[in-house]
Amino acid sequence: MKWFTRYQLPMLPELTLGGGVNWQNGTFVDTSGPKGAERVHQGSYPLVNLFGRYQINKQLAVQANVNNLLDKNYYSALSDSYAYGAPRSVSMSVNYNF
């Protein structure tokens, strides 16, 4: 399930704040490896993401994002091999439209 929203502040229309949650239900995979057959479990988890964007003028905007705000440990893929998903990260971007 994915739920996202954004809000533009009436008293400061240049500022937009937003965020969302990706919810993943628990899952598992049966796999085999050096130790033989095993079941790898992944419990349910939320991934929370936030952003703020400021429109400086008609062409120029600055945006900051925080992904995986709660720094959840999770598997991004479950199959015969599995890998952890990305930890908390922060990014900033500047966009200019001609």
Side-chain angles (χ1 to χ4, degrees):
M1 176 178 75
K2 296 179 181 181
W3 180 79
F4 284 84
T5 189
R6 65 183 177 149
Y7 184 71
Q8 204 164 6
L9 301 171
M11 62 285 219
L12 190 59
E14 299 86 3
L15 181 62
T16 303
L17 301 174
V21 176
N22 290 337
W23 178 266
Q24 174 63 52
N25 286 332
T27 187
F28 67 89
V29 65
D30 292 321
T31 186
S32 59
K35 298 178 185 176
E38 67 178 315
R39 179 167 280 183
V40 179
H41 290 271
Q42 169 68 62
S44 58
Y45 62 91
L47 289 181
V48 179
N49 302 308
L50 300 176
F51 82 89
R53 180 177 60 238
Y54 189 79
Q55 192 72 40
I56 296 170
N57 59 39
K58 188 176 179 180
Q59 289 92 12
L60 185 63
V62 176
Q63 181 166 324
N65 293 34
V66 179
N67 295 313
N68 193 2
L69 176 70
L70 305 175
D71 203 21
K72 291 288 186 178
N73 290 322
Y74 65 98
Y75 296 122
S76 61
L78 277 178
S79 62
D80 285 340
S81 62
Y82 41 93
Y84 284 108
R88 179 187 307 126
S89 64
V90 177
S91 65
M92 188 167 207
S93 61
V94 176
N95 296 307
Y96 186 84
N97 292 319
F98 294 93

